[in-house]
Amino acid sequence: MMLSFIGLLGVQIRYSAELLSIKENTFDNDVKNSLYQVNKTIEEEETLFYINKYYGDKSTVSISAASVLRTYGKTSNKSLKERINVEHVEELIGKELENKAINTPFNVVFIDQEGNEFASDSALLHSDSIAQGQTRVYSQMLFTGDYNPRMNFMRVWFPERQRFIMMSLAPTTLFAVISTLLLFAVFIAVIVLMERQRKLDESKNDFMHNMTHELKTPISSISLASQMLSDDAVAKSDKMRHHLTSVISEETKRLSFQVEKVLQISLLENEKSIMKFREADIHQIISTVAENFEIKVIGSKGSLVTELGATDSVAEVDELHFTNIIYNLLDNAVKYAKENEPIRLKVSTFNKPERQNTVSISIEDNGIGIAKEDQSLIFEKFQRVHTGNVHNVKGFGLGLAYVRKMVKKHRGDITVESTLGVGTKFTITIPKKH
């Protein structure tokens, strides 16, 4: 791709350079042709002047053509300044250039056979730009049709020649530049997408490895406990039997939870997943989740506080998925709690004055926090926060991706505020009407 892009860019640059050369040559040829035609015009005008002078007057009808030619032949002995009208010649040059679609200012200086220069503007004489060779000068010998032509010249140059030529190329150049930039943008986008895909593939491989381990462990525990229960010696001990059945029950719950996590992938991928929205009291949903989750928090000597301060807590939600949103955020807070400090959880509801007809829910913890560079990644699939020395955190990196997806399904938004080593606060805002 890189070689192809460089090749196309090289072809484009070469094409632009050749086009510029063609435009310059065309400009030069048009100017030379125009000056040649001006010379022919002033010769014709001078000839017509003498013909009209002798034949236009009735008293001179008898004068022979030979006399006219003799008189006309003597004009070559006149000085160039006497034979031309500077302003008229400039006007002729302007018309000829206009016929060639050359609409740019020009300067003209006349030089007679003695090397004397004259022009309509004396400031043009011995122009610095000509002296320094900074401007291309076009010369045309005058009165080349004389019987005895003399070295009389007019010199023309264009102060804005290069700008005029470049402006004539502007549409083509602009199109070429835009096309090249678009091609470059597509090229960069493809590289970025390829890099993202590579990282996603790596994340998916890690996910598959992690998932296999997470599912294998409870299955092995259930299998082992089942085998032990089939032992007659174990069956006779109520205490052992109770312990094994408890292990099977807990491991089954753990297995079901992991399977549910895996099934969340389909919800993340399926844009047409069915959502059932109906009016529900957000406070009631949060209270139910908090009551069920409080046992888990108290077991680790922590606390869970709810501050349900929203004045209007009724909104249209999918109760199942909204419950999962709250549960996932609380579960994340427990996972990333500090090892030697009791966890403190706080769930609050409120109405934002600047956003009417919405309900906001915040979940705050005193856990390990999230580094600033990780905060933009936590809602991506298969992404997990770096936990430093904490090695007991299990998961597939789907929880927060699922949360954000479901919040968007509710037409809401979610933000995160976190300080490493201090804690994290998630804030969800959803409209009351879906």
Side-chain angles (χ1 to χ4, degrees):
M1 289 173 61
M2 178 66 75
L3 290 175
S4 298
F5 178 76
I6 293 174
L8 289 173
L9 186 61
V11 170
Q12 185 65 50
I13 292 174
R14 182 175 179 180
Y15 167 77
S16 298
E18 290 181 353
L19 185 60
L20 176 61
S21 178
I22 291 172
K23 285 288 186 180
E24 288 178 339
N25 291 334
T26 302
F27 181 90
D28 294 342
N29 290 332
D30 287 344
V31 171
K32 290 176 182 178
N33 291 334
S34 297
L35 297 182
Y36 177 79
Q37 186 60 44
V38 168
N39 174 61
K40 290 296 182 184
T41 301
I42 60 177
E43 284 184 343
E44 292 172 359
E45 288 179 346
E46 188 179 54
T47 302
L48 289 173
F49 170 77
Y50 283 105
I51 291 176
N52 290 331
K53 180 179 180 181
Y54 283 95
Y55 288 100
D57 190 346
K58 293 181 179 179
S59 62
T60 61
V61 172
S62 61
I63 298 177
S64 66
S67 299
V68 175
L69 293 175
R70 281 196 300 272
T71 304
Y72 177 68
K74 294 178 182 180
T75 60
S76 61
N77 296 323
K78 294 182 178 181
S79 68
L80 180 62
K81 205 168 188 177
E82 293 176 321
R83 297 183 69 181
I84 65 171
N85 182 304
V86 174
E87 287 77 10
H88 177 62
V89 174
E90 288 181 344
E91 183 181 352
L92 291 176
I93 294 173
K95 289 181 178 178
E96 288 294 333
L97 292 175
E98 187 176 353
N99 291 336
K100 301 289 186 181
I102 299 177
N103 301 309
T104 185
F106 65 90
N107 297 321
V108 58
V109 169
F110 300 92
I111 306 173
D112 62 19
Q113 60 182 356
E114 305 296 333
N116 300 316
E117 297 183 4
F118 59 95
S120 59
D121 185 356
S122 58
L124 299 176
L125 302 179
H126 306 292
S127 172
D128 291 339
S129 60
I130 295 179
Q132 297 174 8
Q134 296 178 356
T135 302
R136 182 159 188 176
V137 179
Y138 304 86
S139 296
Q140 172 62 49
M141 187 175 177
L142 297 175
F143 299 108
T144 55
D146 287 352
Y147 292 115
N148 185 24
R150 299 191 178 187
M151 304 302 288
N152 296 315
F153 291 91
M154 62 177 171
R155 303 175 71 186
V156 178
W157 70 95
F158 300 83
E160 299 181 7
R161 172 182 179 273
Q162 202 62 28
R163 180 176 178 274
F164 174 78
I165 294 174
M166 295 302 296
M167 288 301 295
S168 68
L169 290 173
T172 304
T173 303
L174 182 62
F175 176 76
V177 169
I178 292 175
S179 299
T180 302
L181 291 176
L182 286 175
L183 182 61
F184 183 71
V186 171
F187 173 71
I188 294 299
V190 169
I191 292 178
V192 171
L193 289 174
M194 289 173 65
E195 179 63 15
R196 286 183 180 177
Q197 186 62 42
R198 184 187 65 81
K199 290 182 178 180
L200 182 60
D201 289 340
E202 290 179 356
S203 299
K204 283 187 176 181
N205 289 335
D206 293 339
F207 161 74
M208 294 300 294
H209 177 76
N210 191 18
M211 181 186 70
T212 302
H213 175 75
E214 292 290 331
L215 296 179
K216 186 177 180 180
T217 301
I219 291 173
S220 299
S221 299
I222 292 172
S223 177
L224 181 59
S226 298
Q227 291 176 10
M228 292 178 68
L229 278 176
S230 64
D231 191 329
D232 293 338
V234 173
K236 292 179 181 179
S237 173
D238 293 338
K239 184 178 180 180
M240 181 60 70
R241 186 172 63 253
H242 178 72
H243 172 68
L244 292 175
T245 54
S246 298
V247 169
I248 292 174
S249 177
E250 289 299 320
E251 291 299 317
T252 301
K253 290 179 181 178
R254 181 182 173 188
L255 183 60
S256 298
F257 178 75
Q258 300 297 357
V259 170
E260 182 182 351
K261 286 286 186 180
V262 175
L263 290 176
Q264 287 178 357
I265 299 177
S266 62
L267 290 174
L268 293 174
E269 298 294 340
N270 184 13
E271 293 291 338
K272 297 180 180 179
S273 55
I274 299 175
M275 305 284 286
K276 297 179 180 179
F277 292 93
R278 67 179 185 86
E279 283 193 352
D281 190 342
I282 302 299
H283 286 175
Q284 184 178 348
I285 295 174
I286 292 175
S287 297
T288 302
V289 174
E291 184 179 350
N292 295 333
F293 204 84
E294 193 174 15
I295 300 174
K296 190 173 183 178
V297 176
I298 293 175
S300 60
K301 298 181 180 179
S303 64
L304 172 59
V305 177
T306 57
E307 291 185 359
L308 308 180
T311 56
D312 186 0
S313 60
V314 176
E316 291 182 355
V317 297
D318 182 295
E319 289 192 48
L320 174 62
H321 291 294
F322 191 80
T323 300
N324 286 339
I325 289 173
I326 306 300
Y327 182 83
N328 270 280
L329 292 175
L330 290 173
D331 186 56
N332 246 35
V334 173
K335 281 183 180 180
Y336 294 97
K338 296 175 183 175
E339 287 188 353
N340 302 318
E341 184 178 333
I343 187 170
R344 298 285 182 265
L345 297 179
K346 181 180 177 182
V347 182
S348 306
T349 64
F350 53 94
N351 300 110
K352 293 182 178 180
E354 71 276 11
R355 296 186 63 180
Q356 297 181 356
N357 299 318
T358 63
V359 181
S360 297
I361 305 100
S362 67
I363 297 177
E364 189 174 356
D365 64 58
N366 64 335
I368 61 175
I370 306 170
K372 189 173 182 180
E373 59 269 19
D374 288 328
Q375 291 180 17
S376 60
L377 301 174
I378 59 175
F379 294 109
E380 300 296 329
K381 288 183 295 183
F382 310 118
Q383 296 290 338
R384 300 180 66 207
V385 176
H386 299 292
T387 56
N389 295 324
V390 180
H391 301 289
N392 61 344
V393 178
K394 304 293 183 182
F396 300 148
L398 294 174
L400 291 178
Y402 168 78
V403 167
R404 184 178 66 170
K405 187 74 172 183
M406 290 302 108
V407 170
K408 285 187 175 181
K409 290 283 188 179
H410 284 78
R411 298 187 180 179
D413 57 71
I414 181 170
T415 59
V416 59
E417 302 171 40
S418 185
T419 303
L420 202 60
V422 177
T424 303
K425 179 181 179 180
F426 288 94
T427 302
I428 297 170
T429 301
I430 61 172
K432 293 177 182 178
K433 295 290 184 181
H434 185 266

